[in-house]
Amino acid sequence: MLRLSPRAHELVDAITRQETDGYETAELYQAYSTYLHETIHWWQHVGSTAGLILSLSYPAQVYGSMQFLRDFAREVGAVKPVKAWADRALIDGTPTLDPGLIAGNVAVNNAIDIKYYKQLALSPKSVLEHERSPFFLGVGHSYLKAYGDTISAINGSCDFVDGQFPDPERWDADTRRLHAERNEGFPYGPRPPYAEIGLHHIFEGQARFCQIQFLASAGGPELLQTYRDDGYFSPLYGNAFELFLKLTATEWPERYDDPLVGLFLLICDLAINPTRGFPLDIEDFDNLISAVDAGARFTLLCLAAAEAPELAKGVQTYSALEYNYIAGRLTNRCGYDHPHAALEAVVGLLGDGGPVDTLMEEHRTFSFQAVNTPVRVMVSHYIAFCRDKLKRPEFFCWPGMWLAGEKATPEGSALFVDHLSLFQDRADTEQIFPRAMPGRSDQNTKMLVQTFFTGMLVYDLALQWTLQSGPFRYDFKWLTGKSENGALIAFAKRQFRQYYEIDPDTCDLIDPREIEAQA
C-alpha cells in the first residue's frame, strides 16, 4: 500500500486530473517525486527477486507451519504463545518426541528462522546481537529456510507444476551436506563476513536517486550538492551511495545525470535481483550467500566496477544498450547470471496453457482465487513486472530519467501507471482503498481487497499466537482508518477458529519471563 501526506495527495491528484492552476510548479513536481519514490518501493518489493522473497517470507512464516499449528492445537489446546509453552515443556521434562512439542517446535523454529532471514536481508549486522541465541543457526541456514518455505508457498499457492520454478525439496541433500560439513554460515561453521548494508539502505538509496533524477529532469536543481544541502542524503538515504563511492574509489559527482549515478543505480538493480534460488535453481550451494544476499551482491558488484574503471563513464544516455552491456560486464566478473537470464525464464512461462496463464488471467481481471490470495497477487505482479522489464530494462533501472524532461514519453507514463501500487490511502483518512485500474471491474476490485486482507489477518494472528506474549491484539486501524472495528475483529476471530479450531479469546496466556526465571 502507498501512503502520502494529505498535501501530497492533493498535489498528485491535481497533476493526475491536469487541474494545476493555482499551484506552484516546484511544489507539484516535489509531490510527484515523492509519489515516484514511494512507487519505486512497491516495485522493489514486488518486482525485484530479493524484494519478492522478503515480502512473501511473511506469509511463508505461517504457510509452512499451518498443519503443525493445527496439530499443536489438537494436542495441547489453547495456549499462547506457542514458543513459551514449548520452552516450559522442555524445562518440565516433556519427552522430545511428544507430538505437541514436536508440532510446537517446528512452528516456532520455522517462524524464527525466517525472522532472522528478514533481519539479515534488510540490515545484515543487526543479527550480531542474536548470534549466541540457540535459535540462530547461521546465515546460510536462515537463507535456505526462508527461500525454501517461501518458494514452497509460491508453488503451492499458485499451483505451479514441477519445473516451472525451483523445488526446495531437491535441496535437502545439499542442505544436509552443508550442515554436516559445518560450512561457512551453517551451524558450528565459520561466520561469513556481514555486508555493511542490506536491502533497507539499498532500497532507500535507489529510490532517493531516482527521485532526484526526476526532479532535476523536470527542471529542478541539477547539482547534487543542492540536494545534499537540503538533507536528501541523511544516513538512511545516502549510506549505500557513500559505500559505492568508497568501494569504487570515486568521488561525489557534481550532477544528477553523471555516469556514476547511473552506474550506482544499475548496481542497486543487480544487487536486489539475485537469480539463483528463485527464479532459477541453485547450482552452487557452497557460495549461496554471496549469490543471493543483496548486501553481499552490492559489495561484490561495486568491487567488480572498481576493477573495470572504464565503467564509471559507461552510462551516458541511460539506454537499454548501456544497461545490458554494463550488467553483462559486472555479472560476468562476479560469476552471476546476466539479469536477462532470470527475466527470460519467468517470461518464458507465459503461454503454458496452465497455472501460469490462469494466474495471469486473474491478474488481468483481478478475479483472484480466495486461497492464499496475497501470494497469488504478489507473484502475478512479479511476473507482469518481469515481462515489462525485459522489454524496457532501462526504464525500470532509471525511471527518474524517463518520466520527465526530454526522455519522457506517453509510453513511459503508461508503463508507470501499469505498475502503480495495488492499494493506497486518501487525503482524508488512513483507510486503505484499492486503486481503480483499467480492465478490472469495481466488483472484482472490492473482492480483491476482502480476500487479500483476509489472508493478511490470518497470517497476523497465527504469528502472534506462535511468538508474541500477551493477549491477541486487534489493531486494524491501518486497514479501516477507524479505531473501533468490532465487525472486523469478530471476522478475524472466526477465521482463526476456522483454521485452528481454538478460540483466541480462551487462550491460556504464558508469561515468557516466568519461563526465563525458571530456567
Side-chain angles (χ1 to χ4, degrees):
M1 66 188 73
L2 184 148
R3 293 189 185 276
L4 296 173
S5 69
R7 179 62 173 172
H9 269 296
E10 178 185 346
L11 293 164
V12 171
D13 289 345
I15 294 173
T16 304
R17 296 192 305 268
Q18 297 184 339
E19 298 173 359
T20 57
D21 290 347
Y23 294 100
E24 292 185 6
T25 301
E27 190 180 16
L28 288 166
Y29 279 123
Q30 178 63 50
Y32 207 84
S33 77
T34 301
Y35 185 50
L36 171 63
H37 181 118
E38 299 304 328
T39 299
I40 287 170
H41 284 323
W42 162 245
W43 293 0
Q44 290 163 340
H45 281 84
V46 75
S48 76
T49 310
L52 183 74
I53 297 295
L54 179 69
S55 297
L56 293 184
S57 66
Y58 174 63
Q61 282 181 289
V62 176
Y63 181 89
S65 299
M66 289 182 67
Q67 186 56 55
F68 294 104
L69 288 172
R70 290 192 187 106
D71 293 343
F72 180 85
R74 184 181 63 252
E75 295 289 338
V76 178
V79 297
K80 179 180 181 294
V82 176
K83 182 180 182 302
W85 180 90
D87 290 342
R88 186 175 66 185
L90 287 173
I91 292 172
D92 291 344
T94 302
T96 55
L97 295 181
D98 177 82
L101 184 57
I102 290 175
N105 276 336
V106 171
V108 169
N109 287 330
N110 285 350
I112 292 179
D113 282 339
I114 296 177
K115 178 182 176 182
Y116 285 136
Y117 150 76
K118 291 179 183 180
Q119 286 186 258
L120 289 161
L122 285 167
S123 182
K125 290 190 173 181
S126 68
V127 83
L128 287 171
E129 62 184 290
H130 301 292
E131 283 195 316
R132 294 187 178 181
S133 167
F135 290 99
F136 181 67
L137 300 180
V139 179
H141 174 86
S142 295
Y143 261 94
L144 270 178
K145 184 63 179 174
Y147 263 72
D149 283 10
T150 303
I151 296 167
S152 293
I154 290 172
N155 288 335
S157 300
C158 301
D159 304 316
F160 292 141
V161 300
D162 186 40
Q164 291 189 308
F165 284 118
D167 179 3
E169 290 186 4
R170 296 177 181 171
W171 303 347
D172 288 348
D174 281 287
T175 301
R176 289 193 298 270
R177 175 182 63 80
L178 293 169
H179 279 74
E181 294 176 355
R182 299 185 177 186
N183 202 286
E184 184 178 77
F186 287 83
Y188 308 110
R191 177 172 72 81
Y194 289 174
E196 290 295 320
I197 61 170
L199 284 175
H200 196 184
H201 285 98
I202 298 171
F203 279 175
E204 292 295 355
Q206 182 183 37
R208 178 63 91 211
F209 269 97
C210 289
Q211 178 185 6
I212 288 171
Q213 288 194 326
F214 172 85
L215 281 170
S217 298
E222 296 183 347
L223 297 181
L224 290 179
Q225 186 61 45
T226 305
Y227 297 96
R228 294 178 74 181
D229 293 342
D230 289 342
Y232 276 70
F233 295 113
S234 61
L236 178 60
Y237 301 95
N239 279 0
F241 192 65
E242 292 279 6
L243 181 60
F244 161 78
L245 295 176
K246 176 183 177 181
L247 294 174
T248 56
T250 52
E251 302 293 332
W252 265 89
E254 289 189 1
R255 292 175 51 85
Y256 76 99
D257 57 354
D258 189 283
L260 269 181
V261 177
L263 179 61
F264 167 73
L265 288 173
L266 199 160
I267 285 177
C268 288
D269 182 80
L270 297 176
I272 66 175
N273 280 290
T275 57
R276 294 295 161 174
F278 184 87
L280 306 178
D281 212 342
I282 302 173
E283 292 184 350
D284 183 3
F285 283 83
D286 293 271
N287 293 301
L288 172 72
I289 299 168
S290 62
V292 299
D293 178 75
R297 288 174 63 87
F298 182 88
T299 302
L300 294 171
L301 287 161
C302 287
L303 293 173
E307 294 171 356
E310 68 276 10
L311 296 182
K313 299 293 184 182
V315 181
Q316 296 289 331
T317 61
Y318 288 83
S319 66
L321 183 65
E322 291 171 345
Y323 177 93
N324 291 327
Y325 173 75
I326 298 172
R329 290 281 304 275
L330 292 175
T331 53
N332 185 59
R333 278 182 171 270
C334 294
Y336 298 149
D337 300 302
H338 192 285
H340 275 192
L343 296 174
E344 289 169 353
V346 174
V347 174
L349 299 175
L350 296 168
D352 71 339
V356 176
D357 284 357
T358 297
L359 180 64
M360 297 313 291
E361 178 63 15
E362 292 178 15
H363 174 269
R364 186 185 70 81
T365 62
F366 271 20
S367 180
F368 285 93
Q369 295 182 27
V371 178
N372 290 323
T373 301
V375 179
R376 295 185 71 85
V377 169
M378 295 291 284
V379 174
S380 72
H381 278 71
Y382 170 76
I383 294 173
F385 196 92
C386 289
R387 178 186 59 204
D388 288 341
K389 188 178 181 183
L390 183 61
K391 298 174 185 175
R392 291 289 308 276
E394 77 286 2
F395 175 86
F396 291 100
C397 184
W398 303 298
M401 299 293 291
W402 289 95
L403 286 171
E406 62 181 20
K407 293 183 182 298
T409 62
E411 178 195 2
S413 297
L415 205 52
F416 180 67
V417 170
D418 283 345
H419 293 284
L420 293 175
S421 64
L422 270 174
F423 309 111
Q424 65 176 23
D425 65 355
R426 291 181 181 170
D428 57 346
T429 177
E430 295 180 42
Q431 184 175 352
I432 297 302
F433 294 92
R435 193 186 297 278
M437 295 187 182
R440 283 95 177 202
S441 69
D442 289 344
Q443 180 180 357
N444 284 354
T445 302
K446 291 176 181 177
M447 183 60 67
L448 171 62
V449 176
Q450 179 178 330
T451 55
F452 189 95
F453 286 106
T454 294
M456 298 294 285
L457 297 180
V458 170
Y459 303 147
D460 177 56
L461 294 185
L463 277 177
Q464 286 192 48
W465 179 32
T466 304
L467 298 178
Q468 296 181 14
S469 59
F472 284 93
R473 293 186 292 277
Y474 304 99
D475 180 11
F476 300 141
K477 185 179 179 181
W478 60 271
L479 175 58
T480 66
K482 303 174 184 177
S483 298
E484 299 295 328
N485 293 292
L488 186 58
I489 291 171
F491 173 78
K493 290 179 179 180
R494 286 197 303 273
Q495 291 294 110
F496 188 85
R497 286 194 293 268
Q498 177 182 336
Y499 273 83
Y500 301 112
E501 298 182 354
I502 61 173
D503 188 336
D505 289 335
T506 65
C507 280
D508 177 23
L509 303 179
I510 303 172
D511 188 345
R513 292 172 298 181
E514 295 179 1
I515 309 299
E516 293 173 4
Q518 185 179 355

